[in-house]
Amino acid sequence: MERMSRTRLAVPLVLCVLAAAAASQAPRAKDLPPRPQAEVDGLAMTPPMGWYPWNTFGEAPQNERLIAEIADALVASGLKGAGYVYLGPDEGVCFSRGADGKLTANKSRYPSGLRGLGDVIHAKGLKYALYTDAGTMTCSGGMPGTKGHEFEDMKAFADWRADYIKIDWCNSRGQDIVQTYAELGKAQRAAGRPVVHSLCSWGEGYPWVWAGAVGHMWRTTADICAPGEADWARALRVAFANEKLAEFAGPGHWNDPDMMVVGMPGLTEAQNRSLFSLWCQMAAPLMAGNDLRATDRSTIDILTNLEAVAVDQDPLGVQGRVVWNDANVSLWAGKPLFDGSQAVLVFNQGRSRASRRITWEELGLDVRDAFYVRDIWKHTTSGPEAGGTTVSVAPNDVAFLRLSKKNEFPIPPILTVETFLLRLRSGSARPELLTGKVTVRNMGRSELPPWRVDPSSLPAWLRVEVTGGGKAQTFVNKVLTAGLKRGAYHALVRADNVEPVSGKPMSALYYDVDLEVARDVKR
Ligand code: GLA
C-alpha cells in the first residue's frame, strides 16, 4: 500500500553505527526531565513483553474482535503465563479527531469504545497498549497525530486506561524530535497514569542518547518487515544494527529492534529459534507479531521457552554483544545474569553445519574456572567444563547457552496476574465493607519478598493489604463505604518489590480499582 510518509524508509540502518557521532548531537538538557522516566514510574525495568498487530495485520483488518481474540489466544497458548502482557491496536484506525479537537473512538471497528477495549484486556490480566504519532498524522494517514494536541491526547489515552503508548514519527517535518517527545512525556505525566512510553523514530534523532529521560524504549531501526510476511535478511540487518547500541540499554531504557517476526510466514523453525534467541540475548522488548490465533506448536514452544525468556527478562538488564563474527558464524556474549551465570549465543548464518570451540578466555571469564553448560533449547546440562566448550550449529540455527559455576539455572521473576481490574459496587445507604482480591503469581524460581503498597498513595476510601508469600501473593483491597457520596470512584494501585538475588527493583505493578456507590452512604 502507498503510504503517506516515506521518511522512515529513508532512515539508513547505518545510523545505528553512528552512536559515537550522536554525542555531538546530544539534545539540549533543558528539554529533558532531570531523572530517567523509569526511576519515577518503575515501569519496564525488564524489557516489555506482549503482542502487537502491525507485522501481520498492517492497518486494515484491526478491530475490537481481533484484539479480543488475540487476548484469548495469549492466555490459552500460555504466552501470558510466560510474561507476554501488553497488547492492543497499532495503526488499527481506532480513533479520529472531532471538530472540538478531541479524539473519539471508531465505533464501527471498536464498538465498546477504546475504554471498553481496555477493560476487556485488563479483565484478562493483560495490559493495554495504544498507538499514535508525534506528527500531524500517523504513518498511513488514517489517524490524526498528536502535534498541537499533546496534552489532550495523552489525557484521552489515560482516560481509556492505556498502560503502554507507542508513538511514531511520521509526518513530523520541521519538528524538533527531542522537544516533541519530551513534551509528550510531560503530557503523559500530566495525565496522571503511568505508561510505558515506546518511542518509534526508527533511530532518527539518536534516541538511545536521550530517550531514557522521557520514555522506556526506542526503535533503533527501520521496520523489520512489510506487513504480512517475514524477511529473514532484513530481520538480521535489524539485529546486527541494534547490537551496536548495546551500551545504551539497561533497566527501564531499552533498544527496540522492532516487534518480532517469529512464527510469521517466510521463516523456518530454525530461523524462528535464532531470531528469538537474538532478541533475548539483546534484552530486547519481546513484542510478538504473528497471528496467535493460528500459530503452530513449534512457534508457541519457542516463544514460551522460559529458559530463553529468562535471559531476556534478567533483572540486570545487560544487552549482549558480538564478540566475533567470522561472516557465517557469530559469537554473542557479554550478558551476565542475576545469579552470576552468563548467557552465550553462537549463531550460524552459513549454509552448512558449523563447529566451533568457544573458550572461557574469549568470553572474558576466569580461565581457571569450570562451568556447567546449560543448553537453553535442548534443556540439557553438561560439565563442569574447563577452558571452554564446543558447539555444533546447524545452518540458520543457534546454540544458546547459559554458563554457571553452579549446576543451577534459576529463572528470574516472571509474573502473571489474573486481573488488572477490580470492580466493586455498593448498593446500600448503610456502610458496607467491600473486598476484592488481585493475586500475583511468580512463574520464575525465586521467591519474592512481600509487595509494598504505599498507603499514602491510595485514596481515603481504599486500603490494600498484601497476604501470602513466596510464589503467590494476594493484594486484598478493602473499601469501607461510610460517608461516601453516590458516584463512581477510581484508584490506580501501585505495588513495588525488589528481586531478592540481584537486589534490583522489579517493574512496578499497577492495577485499577473501580468503585460504584449507588446511593449516598451514612457515616
Ligand atoms: C511505522 C512503525 C510500524 C507501524 C507503522 C504503522 O512504520 O515503524 O511499527 O507502527 O508505522 O503505520
Short mmCIF file of all heavy atoms in Angstrom, two decimals, residues 3 8 54 90-91 131 139 166 168 200 202 219 223 259, ligand 1:
data_model
loop_
_atom_site.label_atom_id
_atom_site.label_comp_id
_atom_site.label_asym_id
_atom_site.label_seq_id
_atom_site.Cartn_x
_atom_site.Cartn_y
_atom_site.Cartn_z
N ARG A 3 2.09 4.60 1.16
CA ARG A 3 1.98 5.19 2.50
C ARG A 3 2.15 6.68 2.43
O ARG A 3 2.74 7.22 1.51
CB ARG A 3 3.05 4.60 3.40
CG ARG A 3 3.21 3.09 3.27
CD ARG A 3 2.15 2.43 4.05
NE ARG A 3 2.16 3.08 5.35
CZ ARG A 3 2.39 2.41 6.45
NH1 ARG A 3 2.60 1.15 6.43
NH2 ARG A 3 2.38 3.02 7.61
N ARG A 8 10.59 7.36 6.97
CA ARG A 8 11.22 6.33 7.79
C ARG A 8 11.95 5.31 6.95
O ARG A 8 12.86 4.68 7.38
CB ARG A 8 10.21 5.62 8.66
CG ARG A 8 9.24 4.80 7.87
CD ARG A 8 7.93 4.92 8.49
NE ARG A 8 6.94 4.87 7.46
CZ ARG A 8 6.09 3.87 7.34
NH1 ARG A 8 6.15 2.89 8.19
NH2 ARG A 8 5.20 3.89 6.42
N TRP A 54 0.84 -5.03 14.01
CA TRP A 54 1.29 -4.45 12.75
C TRP A 54 1.97 -5.45 11.82
O TRP A 54 1.65 -5.52 10.63
CB TRP A 54 2.22 -3.26 13.03
CG TRP A 54 2.75 -2.68 11.76
CD1 TRP A 54 4.00 -2.83 11.25
CD2 TRP A 54 2.03 -1.89 10.81
NE1 TRP A 54 4.10 -2.19 10.05
CE2 TRP A 54 2.91 -1.59 9.76
CE3 TRP A 54 0.71 -1.41 10.76
CZ2 TRP A 54 2.53 -0.84 8.66
CZ3 TRP A 54 0.34 -0.65 9.67
CH2 TRP A 54 1.23 -0.37 8.64
N ASP A 90 -2.33 -1.36 16.90
CA ASP A 90 -1.27 -0.46 16.42
C ASP A 90 -1.99 0.58 15.58
O ASP A 90 -2.93 1.23 16.08
CB ASP A 90 -0.25 -1.29 15.61
CG ASP A 90 1.01 -0.53 15.24
OD1 ASP A 90 1.00 0.08 14.17
OD2 ASP A 90 2.00 -0.56 15.99
N GLU A 91 -1.63 0.69 14.31
CA GLU A 91 -2.33 1.65 13.46
C GLU A 91 -3.64 1.00 13.02
O GLU A 91 -3.83 0.68 11.85
CB GLU A 91 -1.43 1.99 12.27
CG GLU A 91 -2.08 2.76 11.23
CD GLU A 91 -1.42 4.09 10.93
OE1 GLU A 91 -0.20 4.24 11.02
OE2 GLU A 91 -2.16 5.00 10.61
N TYR A 131 -1.47 3.16 20.20
CA TYR A 131 -0.50 3.69 19.23
C TYR A 131 -0.93 5.08 18.79
O TYR A 131 -2.13 5.35 18.60
CB TYR A 131 -0.50 2.75 18.02
CG TYR A 131 0.12 3.33 16.77
CD1 TYR A 131 1.48 3.13 16.50
CD2 TYR A 131 -0.64 4.07 15.86
CE1 TYR A 131 2.05 3.67 15.34
CE2 TYR A 131 -0.07 4.60 14.71
CZ TYR A 131 1.28 4.40 14.46
OH TYR A 131 1.85 4.92 13.33
N CYS A 139 1.40 7.15 10.23
CA CYS A 139 2.15 6.82 9.00
C CYS A 139 1.23 6.51 7.83
O CYS A 139 1.53 6.85 6.69
CB CYS A 139 3.10 5.66 9.27
SG CYS A 139 4.36 6.09 10.48
N LYS A 166 2.79 3.58 22.12
CA LYS A 166 3.84 3.63 21.08
C LYS A 166 3.61 4.91 20.27
O LYS A 166 2.49 5.15 19.82
CB LYS A 166 3.71 2.40 20.19
CG LYS A 166 4.58 2.43 18.94
CD LYS A 166 4.45 1.10 18.19
CE LYS A 166 4.99 1.18 16.78
NZ LYS A 166 4.79 -0.09 16.06
N ASP A 168 4.83 7.06 17.06
CA ASP A 168 5.54 7.03 15.79
C ASP A 168 6.04 8.43 15.43
O ASP A 168 5.69 9.42 16.09
CB ASP A 168 4.57 6.51 14.72
CG ASP A 168 5.21 5.44 13.86
OD1 ASP A 168 6.43 5.52 13.65
OD2 ASP A 168 4.47 4.55 13.39
N CYS A 200 9.15 5.67 18.60
CA CYS A 200 9.28 4.93 17.34
C CYS A 200 9.77 5.86 16.23
O CYS A 200 9.01 6.21 15.34
CB CYS A 200 7.94 4.29 17.00
SG CYS A 200 7.97 3.28 15.52
N TRP A 202 12.60 5.08 14.53
CA TRP A 202 13.43 4.19 13.70
C TRP A 202 14.91 4.58 13.74
O TRP A 202 15.64 4.39 12.78
CB TRP A 202 12.93 4.19 12.25
CG TRP A 202 11.46 4.46 12.14
CD1 TRP A 202 10.46 3.61 12.50
CD2 TRP A 202 10.84 5.68 11.71
NE1 TRP A 202 9.25 4.22 12.31
CE2 TRP A 202 9.45 5.48 11.83
CE3 TRP A 202 11.32 6.90 11.23
CZ2 TRP A 202 8.54 6.48 11.48
CZ3 TRP A 202 10.40 7.89 10.89
CH2 TRP A 202 9.04 7.67 11.02
N ARG A 219 12.75 2.55 19.15
CA ARG A 219 13.13 1.80 17.96
C ARG A 219 14.50 2.27 17.50
O ARG A 219 14.79 3.47 17.50
CB ARG A 219 12.08 2.00 16.87
CG ARG A 219 10.82 1.17 17.10
CD ARG A 219 10.99 -0.23 16.58
NE ARG A 219 11.23 -0.16 15.15
CZ ARG A 219 10.27 0.02 14.25
NH1 ARG A 219 9.00 0.08 14.64
NH2 ARG A 219 10.56 0.11 12.98
N ASP A 223 11.54 -0.49 9.84
CA ASP A 223 10.64 -1.62 10.12
C ASP A 223 11.30 -2.96 9.74
O ASP A 223 11.98 -3.06 8.72
CB ASP A 223 9.34 -1.48 9.34
CG ASP A 223 8.46 -0.36 9.91
OD1 ASP A 223 8.89 0.30 10.87
OD2 ASP A 223 7.36 -0.17 9.39
N MET A 259 9.11 -5.14 16.63
CA MET A 259 8.29 -6.29 17.01
C MET A 259 8.85 -7.53 16.33
O MET A 259 9.42 -7.45 15.25
CB MET A 259 6.86 -6.04 16.56
CG MET A 259 6.31 -4.79 17.22
SD MET A 259 4.84 -4.14 16.43
CE MET A 259 5.43 -3.41 14.94
C1 GLA B 1 5.67 2.67 11.32
C2 GLA B 1 6.16 1.84 12.51
C3 GLA B 1 5.49 0.47 12.45
C4 GLA B 1 3.97 0.62 12.48
C5 GLA B 1 3.54 1.51 11.33
C6 GLA B 1 2.08 1.89 11.39
O1 GLA B 1 6.10 2.12 10.14
O2 GLA B 1 7.54 1.72 12.47
O3 GLA B 1 5.91 -0.32 13.54
O4 GLA B 1 3.57 1.16 13.71
O5 GLA B 1 4.27 2.74 11.31
O6 GLA B 1 1.75 2.66 10.28
#
